[in-house]
Amino acid sequence: MTGVSPLLGLPGAVAVEGRGVAAHYGSPLIEQRALAAGEAIIDRSDHGVITVAGPDRLSWLDSMTSQALTRLPPGGSAETLLLDPQGRIEFAIRVADDGETAWLLVDPGLAEGLAAFLNRMRFTLRVEVTDRSASHGILGAFAGGQAAELLAELPGVVATWNDPWAEVQRGGWLYAAAEGHPGNGWSYREVIVPRETLADARDLVAAKRVRVAGALSLDALQILAWRPSQAAEGDERSLPHEVDWLRSAVHLEKGCYRGQETVAKVHNLGHPPRRLVLLHLDGSSGELPAAGTLVYPVDGEKPVGRITRAALHHEWGPVALAMLKRNTAEDAPLEIRLEGADGATGETLAAAQETIVPRGAGATRDVPRLPRL
């Protein structure tokens, strides 16, 4: 934990357990609408901040991770993945470069592990790795209203990260349908500030110059935009293909990096073993499934996947992201079986699939099969 944020002291704040930031401030749906409209800021200071300084920083990061970073300009932003040798996601990294230092942002609890890995890989290169999570925090907002402008004017802003999810990045690939993709036009951004500046943001809210939204608000908006996060959609088996992360975080034409062989093999010749879907849930019970809740085919005995996160959206009602087995039919009716207080099966929620990663994702190269002799 990076410490309790000053914004948690605002009236109505309800904390995310163990993370020092607010889940909401008393009105989750109102906060969500304000955040989406660009009229609210969100406190992300529970996320990790690492700096990589030195003239070799971008080429060094480029050599290890999935995105092309060598030509990232001063003020530029990117998203990249550090994979294990088998191509599984170890760290999803948001990168903002200020011309001298690369600022790396990661989900809660991951900064220490990433910093340790990077320090082991420095060798003789001109780079310096520092975990800044204790000294710097993160604030987010969407463009379109005054919130993002006010964040940019806060004292001590060191870098701004603009989320690349709005479009397929150069060298990337889209498994989801391009037409009508809900991430098109996604305008979320984050500023990195000294932690003392979080008090200035709190004062802006207290003075009613801007609204504030809790973590639940961004979760709901990300779910409906099909936008993955490592904290929610990631596990020890995650491949970037399964969550359509080739859209924003993978460059398929760059040189070698750790896990690159698996990325290329699954994309060109195989299929990801699982696929991410959006679920529209029956809201009549008023309950939301917890992360990890199993997903079943209607009247089926064996689960076909699990919920990664669920939220109440201010327009669409209860929605969730779920990771399903690849061979699950895209039109299969599904249900969520909630657990009762005594551990027995409780309420059952009907769930309608919306395809994000299709069953046929991958195998983009048409390699002819040789006839068997």
Side-chain angles (χ1 to χ4, degrees), residues 72-260:
L72 192 66
S77 300
E79 182 175 35
T80 192
L81 305 173
L82 180 63
L83 308 175
D84 73 8
Q86 288 72 46
R88 301 184 184 96
I89 299 169
E90 289 195 334
F91 297 97
I93 307 168
R94 302 160 352 241
V95 184
D97 193 80
D98 64 12
E100 296 181 354
T101 301
W103 294 80
L104 313 184
L105 313 181
V106 292
D107 284 353
L110 299 178
E112 184 177 354
L114 177 58
F117 175 86
L118 294 176
N119 273 311
R120 290 197 303 271
M121 300 299 292
R122 284 188 306 156
F123 304 117
T124 60
L125 293 174
R126 297 169 296 171
V127 293
E128 182 178 350
V129 178
T130 309
D131 187 345
R132 308 277 184 184
S133 304
S135 61
H136 287 75
I138 304 168
L139 297 165
F142 284 86
Q146 63 175 346
E149 296 175 4
L150 287 171
L151 288 186
E153 296 171 0
L154 285 171
V157 173
V158 294
T160 299
W161 177 74
N162 294 293
D163 192 338
W165 190 248
E167 57 187 9
V168 182
Q169 298 301 295
R170 184 176 181 180
W173 192 276
L174 182 67
Y175 288 144
E179 185 176 353
H181 193 292
N184 295 342
W186 180 259
S187 64
Y188 179 69
R189 62 192 58 175
E190 293 178 338
V191 298
I192 309 158
V193 296
R195 292 193 77 87
E196 53 266 26
T197 299
L198 298 176
D200 295 278
R202 176 203 58 202
D203 294 343
L204 287 176
V205 176
K208 302 188 183 305
R209 294 188 59 193
V210 70
R211 302 194 67 150
V212 65
L216 293 179
S217 297
L218 186 58
D219 262 348
L221 300 178
Q222 285 183 332
I223 288 171
L224 210 68
W226 303 350
R227 211 277 181 249
S229 78
Q230 183 176 2
E233 282 65 56
D235 60 26
E236 69 282 355
R237 296 187 293 147
S238 294
L239 298 174
H241 318 68
E242 297 176 330
V243 295
D244 211 19
W245 233 331
L246 275 64
R247 173 184 174 94
S248 61
V250 176
H251 196 295
L252 292 168
E253 300 170 8
K254 63 169 279 186
C256 293
Y257 55 90
R258 203 163 84 137
Q260 186 264 347

Side-chain angles (χ1 to χ4, degrees), residues 249-285:
V250 176
H251 196 295
L252 292 168
E253 300 170 8
K254 63 169 279 186
C256 293
Y257 55 90
R258 203 163 84 137
Q260 186 264 347
E261 183 178 353
T262 299
V263 170
K265 187 174 182 179
V266 173
H267 178 65
N268 293 322
L269 304 176
H271 299 285
R274 302 178 298 176
R275 59 186 187 86
L276 192 68
V277 301
L278 175 71
L279 296 180
H280 295 275
L281 305 177
D282 174 13
S284 57
S285 72

